[in-house]
Amino acid sequence: MKKKGTVRDLRKEDFPALSIYLEEQTNGLRPRQSWLEYFIYWWQDNPAIDQSIPMGWILIDEQGEIGGFLGNIPIHYLIGEKELTICSGTSWFIDSKFRHKSLEFLGKLFKLKAPLLVTSPTDKSYTIFTRLGFHSLEQAWVGKEAISPINGSAFFDYSLNKSIQ
């Protein structure tokens, strides 16, 4: 039986419960305190954060518990002479009873009006994202750590050259 749940924008007041959820989803590999520190870097102290760009989305079940999450980290990139805000999807977790809601998360990510980058995809999500038109950055030092629908290799070449100068 499919469980009901609502996917909505992440709010700052969700951080404590989300950190517990993510600690459970990672089997304690990342403790809740680490997740709370990530949230500071990803959103609270992020100069690219903008009220018009969601921090991510959570699924809330009928009991008010978190049943899924997809984070969105906005990042400023300088490509050529133009500064762009890129949205980087991260930490996509969905309880098995809510798998039917997976595409709802992706729909929210894809509706953003910014180029997208997805980091550290699992084998399953890597397959999903590449079928949706994302491309691996295909650098020896990157492996399957990041995929993007933009020309990522040109971006990194440019970024490396700028940082050396």
Side-chain angles (χ1 to χ4, degrees), residues 1-5 59 61-63 97-98 100-101:
M1 181 176 151
K2 291 182 180 178
K3 296 285 186 176
K4 290 186 179 183
L59 184 146
D61 68 15
E62 293 169 319
Q63 289 74 42
K97 61 189 172 200
F98 296 112
H100 62 283
K101 295 283 208 171

Side-chain angles (χ1 to χ4, degrees), residues 4 6 10-11 14 20 26 32 34 41 45 60 65 70-72 81 85 102 105 107 113 122 133 141-142 146 156 158:
K4 290 186 179 183
T6 303
L10 177 67
R11 303 174 190 143
D14 297 320
I20 293 168
T26 60
R32 67 187 71 169
S34 292
Y41 303 128
D45 291 346
I60 302 295
E65 299 293 320
L70 174 60
N72 176 40
E81 297 295 318
T85 299
S102 296
F105 280 96
K113 294 182 180 175
T122 63
W141 57 270
V142 174
F156 281 108
Y158 174 81

Side-chain angles (χ1 to χ4, degrees), residues 94-109:
I94 301 173
D95 292 358
S96 59
K97 61 189 172 200
F98 296 112
R99 292 278 188 237
H100 62 283
K101 295 283 208 171
S102 296
L103 293 179
E104 191 171 340
F105 280 96
L106 287 182
K108 301 252 186 214
L109 183 65

Side-chain angles (χ1 to χ4, degrees), residues 5-103:
T6 303
V7 177
R8 65 162 173 80
D9 288 0
L10 177 67
R11 303 174 190 143
K12 286 183 182 180
E13 58 266 20
D14 297 320
F15 290 179
L18 179 59
S19 68
I20 293 168
Y21 174 79
L22 292 171
E23 178 183 47
E24 292 167 356
Q25 291 298 307
T26 60
N27 296 318
L29 179 65
R30 298 269 188 257
R32 67 187 71 169
Q33 188 57 40
S34 292
W35 287 107
L36 290 169
E37 290 170 9
Y38 285 157
F39 302 161
I40 291 168
Y41 303 128
W42 292 351
W43 303 307
Q44 184 176 315
D45 291 346
N46 182 346
I49 203 71
D50 179 311
Q51 295 300 326
S52 68
I53 302 172
M55 297 178 287
W57 305 271
I58 59 173
L59 184 146
I60 302 295
D61 68 15
E62 293 169 319
Q63 289 74 42
E65 299 293 320
I66 297 175
F69 170 70
L70 174 60
N72 176 40
I73 306 168
I75 303 166
H76 288 308
Y77 280 132
L78 185 63
I79 300 176
E81 297 295 318
K82 187 174 182 180
E83 183 177 284
L84 294 175
T85 299
I86 307 258
C87 291
S88 179
T90 188
S91 308
W92 186 19
F93 293 97
I94 301 173
D95 292 358
S96 59
K97 61 189 172 200
F98 296 112
R99 292 278 188 237
H100 62 283
K101 295 283 208 171
S102 296
L103 293 179

Side-chain angles (χ1 to χ4, degrees), residues 89 92 118-127 129 143-147:
W92 186 19
V118 178
T119 59
S120 304
T122 63
D123 288 339
K124 281 184 182 179
S125 64
Y126 182 86
T127 300
F129 283 116
K144 283 195 340 187
E145 293 299 313
I147 54 178

